[in-house]
Every structure is written in C-alpha cells, then in structure tokens.
Amino acid sequence: MQLSNLRPPHRDTAGRPQGGNGGNDGSGALPAWDLADLYAGPADPALEADLARADGEARAFAEAHSGKLATLSGDRLAEAIATYERIEEVLGRVMSFASLTFAGDAQDAANGRFYQTMQERVTAISSHTLFFTLELNKLEEAALEKKLSGSKALARYRPFLRDLRVFRPHQLSDEVERLLHEKEVTGRAAWNRLFDETIAAMEVKVEEETLNVSGALNKLSDGDRKVREAAAKGVSAAFGEKARLFTLITNTLAKDKEIIDGWRQYPRPGSSRNRANMVEDEVVDALVSAVVASFPSLSHRYYAMKAKWLGLPKLQHWDRNAPLPDEDDSEIPWEAARERVLKAYSGFSPELGRIGARFFDKPWIDAALRPGKASGAFAHPTVPSAHPYLLLNYHGKSRDVMTLAHELGHGVHQILAAEQGYLMSGTPLTLAETASVFGEMLTFRALLDAETDPKRRRAMLAGKVEDMLNTVVRQIAFYRFETLLHDARRKGELSREEIGALWMQVQTESLGPAFEFTPDYEIYWSYIPHFVHTPFYVYAYAFGDCLVNALYGVFQNGGVPGFQEKYLELLRAGGTLRHKDLLAPFGLDASDPAFWHMGLNVIAGFIDELERTDGQ
C-alpha cells in the first residue's frame, strides 16, 4: 500500500466555533508564517532540483529493488527502507509547501494551479516507488520475521512494517494499486480541491455586511442574538445556493469510497479509517456507544441550563455557541494569548514550554486574518527535517486562546516525534489529538485556578463544557451522520433533502429537547471539511478528548510517579507504539469500556458543578 506523500494537517474546524479571516480585528499585529524553511517560493530552483533528484532516485530505486525484496538480507532490506524513506521525505516536503501555500490563499488561482501541478508531479514520481510497500506486504510472515530477527537495522523499522501489514488483507493487485494511485489526482483529490476553492470564494451576506464563510460562521458566537440569527440565515442562504454542488460532491465521494471499500473488502465504511488509525472497530464502537448513551446526561442537561441562562424557552441552532451572560468577551491581544498558553505549558513541563516558545520566536504560526486564507485552524507536521506550521484565524476571543493551546499541542507533539523519522513520526488520528487536547486542558486549568471571582469562574467552566461538548458530543454526532449517509448512499444517490434529514436526525438526538431547529439548518452539513477531506476522521476528536480526560485525571491524582517524563515519552514515540502500549504506563486501557466513562465523567462532573452554582 502506498503511504501518502503528504501527511494531512490536523484540521480542527469541525467542532469549535469558526474563526474567520475577514480582516484584522484590532488584536494587534498578528503573525504570518514564512515558508522559506521549506522553499523560498513556487519558483525556487531548489524545489525543481528536489523534484528532479527524487524522480531520478525513484527510478533507480525501482530498477534496483523491484521484484527482489524477498532475496534481500535483513540489513539490505533496512538500507532499502532508508532509501525509500529519504525519497518519501523529499516528496513530503514538496507537498507540504504546496499545501500550505494553497491554504494561505486559496482564492489565488496561481496557488491552486501550483498545488495541482505539484500533486501531479509527486504522484508521477511516487508511482515508481509504489511497488515497494506492495511487495513488502507480499513477504510471508515467517520470512519477514527471520529478516527482522537477524538485523538490528531492520528491527528499527518494525513499527513501520507492523502498521503497513495491517492493510495486507485489503491490498489489490499491483496494476490496480498503481491505477488507483495515479488516478487520485483526477479523483478524490480533485473533488477536494473543488470543495476548498468553492468555500474560499463564497460570500455570505450578514445584514449589511458581506463576509467570507469563516467570517460569517464566527458571527454565530456573537453576543447579539440578532447578529447570530442574521449570520445563521446568511450561511444557510449561501450554502443553499450551492446545495446542488455540495450534494454532488458528497454523493460522488461517498460512491467512490464504496467502490474502493468493496474492492478492498472492508466490512463497513469506517473500517478503512480505523485501520489507518490502528484501532479496532470494536474500540470505536465502544466509544460511540458510550457517548451516545451519555447525550441526556451531558449535552441535553447542559443546553437546558443554557436556555435558562439566556432567558429563552427554546434554543435555535444559532444559540449553540452564544456567549453566556457572565462571559468575559473583552479582547485578548495576541501577546497575552501567547503568555497564557506558554505559562500553562511551562508550569506543567519546562521542556514543553521551551519547545512551544519556538513557534512564537520563529515564523511558524499564521494567525493573521485575510481573505482567501483557509478557515478554522490546523497544525501541519511537514517533514522531520523541517518543522511544523500552525494555521489559526485569531479574533482575540477566549476560545481563540484555547485554539492556540490546542494547535500548539499538535506542534510540540510533532517536534518531539520527529526523531522517529519520516515513516514513523506520524501518529494515528486517535492519538494525534492527545497533546492538543492535553494542552487545552493545561491552559484551561491554569486560567481557572487563577480566577477568584465566582461568576467569572462559572462562565469559564461553562465555556470549557461547551468546548468539550463540541469536541465529544458534536463529533460523535458527525460520525453518526457520516455512517448513516454512507450506508444510505449504498442504496442510491441521495437528494439534498435526504442528506439534510440525516443531519437533522443526528443533531436533534445529540443536542436534545432544549433546541428547536429551523428548517434552514438542514444545509449545515455542507460546510464541514472533514466529510470531504478525511471521511470518518471526526471520532478521533472524541477519542482524544476522553483519553486526555482520563490521562489528566491520573496526573491530578498523582498516582503515577514521573508523570511529566512519561508523558513526553508518549509524545516522542510518534507512531511507533499503539494505544495499548502508550497508555499502559499510566494504568489506562482504551479497550476497556470503563475507560470511556472515565473521560465522559469529567464532563459530567463539570456540569454537576455548574448545576450546583446555578442561580448564584
């Protein structure tokens, strides 16, 4: 199976309120990244030189090794993997640069052309090395184990080989694998680009103001309910006009997935994602079942309180992220946000704080607000020989500070894991959210502990509950929506109305009776990028949040000596260890159904505290 030449960024746009990019909001000078550590620009001669060298090395690699892996000794196979890794990292650097350039301004047609051209060239080059992972998977277990046991150099790559061979039962013939690989640029990747460029170019009318999509979504957390309602109707109208296109994209990609899953003999639509996440279907089922069962005790209970706090008999969908009456909506300058996050990180671990500070000291963060920029937030690991980049849209709100803490966690994780090398530094999505959610928790706890005013503490606690509900309940609702949609698509193409009905079904069951959904909410499924870019990604947020809640509980209880050192080792492991091995030093086991209830009970405990202080 060909490993992706481009590690996808950890997109964090699905759960939390969206940050827009419609212009500077007065928060002070906001940083923009400098991609020169990858390449000076699209015309950089080093870029063309890297592509030419990678092409030559890939062809030579195929000539030297295709059809011969079974005859190689363990040491020689290790050398071959090292060469393959070097080629892949060059291609990963190219695609990281192209992807980040496109994310910086997707409205610029030149950026779109550059991104597509790089995808096509990288795909053509990597087609020469495609044989390698396919042939590795053809090695018999006994023969491969003999090579591993006889070579220390090859044994280093045991985690890479272990994870690669998870896909062995689903591997197709070499010819079919190559066809699928080469057609990706005109298949799923092309539909992804169409979605991104369409979203980037859309305009949303909010009262007398014309905004881009993310700017309009940001208004859904405005303190003025009339502004929120106007923004909601504007978003509905804008996406309603594009409904036919988004319905086509969704139907096409779902059918495409069904066809490929059928050929690969995956038992259900989410199985391929679970394999990539190195997690069993049953573990995901246990998580989903636990969260769904907790809807009444978590989201239903909390939003009933929120409706009372806002003085509303029923909440509308534009009230979900409304600020609370006691919430401090004063602007938080960028420097203050930096100080708060780094102080929390350093308070837990000076090393964590030092690594985090590098992102601010160097131009590795793009938080500036400008048209055409990708919405939401993400962290992109790029390649171990470079460093990660963070994208945010910073509006100076308290939730933006939490987003910064989240993305910085990803970045620190990626820095620490880089020592594992290109093939083994990447973590499964289920574990990729560990450091980010943990960073949020550190920052929140530090701010909460420093607050002495009861009303402000309650508002902070409520804000944290909302973030956790967005991360856990909302993401599992998204996962259920995807599951229902892909199952329904197998019976035939779905209309806009049918997709909307599935969306309303999961929103109603997850958010509860406190809400009265207006019909215009039926189109809101269409702005979620995860459904297009990374199907069935979203449960990883809930996995990460519940995992971190349990992990942080162990830290608070002080039951594990040297917790900080063990935590940093967990991050350094990258993709070399599975969740069982990573959590074992902390006495945790994600395959135990009780594990998920530990995480969910943290949220329930926060809501209990809010109920006790209700009316004070």
Side-chain angles (χ1 to χ4, degrees), residues 258-322:
E258 178 195 348
I259 293 169
I260 294 176
D261 283 352
W263 275 74
R264 296 197 184 282
Q265 298 184 3
Y266 284 113
R268 60 194 200 192
S271 294
S272 59
R273 176 65 58 197
N274 296 342
R275 302 295 186 278
N277 285 343
M278 304 304 156
V279 65
E280 301 78 12
D281 288 353
E282 295 74 21
V283 171
V284 177
D285 291 343
L287 165 64
V288 173
S289 296
V291 174
V292 171
S294 73
F295 285 168
S297 63
L298 298 182
S299 50
H300 295 188
R301 186 161 58 117
Y302 173 76
Y303 288 119
M305 282 195 295
K306 182 166 187 175
K308 185 173 68 172
W309 294 337
L310 295 177
L312 299 171
K314 288 283 186 180
L315 297 174
Q316 297 296 340
H317 68 88
W318 55 80
D319 298 316
R320 183 173 59 85
N321 288 316

Side-chain angles (χ1 to χ4, degrees), residues 28 36 87 114 132 136-137 152-153 195-196 201 240 271 311 322 335 344 389 391 409 418 444 460 554 580:
I87 296 169
F114 173 67
F132 189 62
L136 281 173
N137 266 353
K152 185 177 179 180
F195 175 86
D196 288 343
S271 294
E335 284 303 315
Y389 284 95
L391 180 143
F444 168 72
M460 290 176 65
V554 173
K580 271 185 174 292

Side-chain angles (χ1 to χ4, degrees), residues 443-572:
T443 304
F444 168 72
R445 289 288 188 176
L447 296 177
L448 185 68
D449 292 345
E451 184 55 64
T452 57
D453 180 81
K455 288 187 176 181
R456 288 171 62 88
R457 278 182 61 86
R458 189 182 75 162
M460 290 176 65
L461 195 60
K464 180 59 176 175
V465 168
E466 293 205 6
D467 282 344
M468 296 172 93
L469 293 178
N470 279 334
T471 304
V472 177
V473 169
R474 187 162 168 80
Q475 301 309 316
I476 293 303
F478 284 175
Y479 178 81
R480 282 177 54 74
F481 168 75
E482 284 191 281
T483 301
L484 292 171
L485 185 145
H486 282 261
D487 286 345
R489 179 64 181 90
R490 295 188 173 196
K491 300 173 184 176
E493 184 163 304
L494 301 174
S495 67
R496 165 193 175 176
E497 291 76 17
E498 288 172 320
I499 298 175
L502 297 177
W503 173 258
M504 295 294 266
Q505 175 186 331
V506 298
Q507 293 300 306
T508 300
E509 70 179 15
S510 64
L511 296 178
F515 281 86
E516 179 184 70
F517 295 106
T518 52
D520 66 295
Y521 192 50
E522 290 182 352
I523 195 62
Y524 270 62
W525 56 270
S526 58
Y527 84 82
I528 308 297
H530 299 70
F531 300 157
V532 173
H533 290 283
T534 46
F536 297 95
Y537 174 114
V538 288
Y539 76 79
Y541 289 115
F543 193 111
D545 197 273
C546 289
L547 185 154
V548 166
N549 288 343
L551 195 63
Y552 196 87
V554 173
F555 168 61
Q556 276 195 312
N557 294 333
V560 176
F563 182 96
Q564 285 88 337
E565 290 75 16
K566 287 183 171 66
Y567 175 73
L568 291 176
E569 285 305 309
L570 180 153
L571 301 186
R572 286 192 180 94

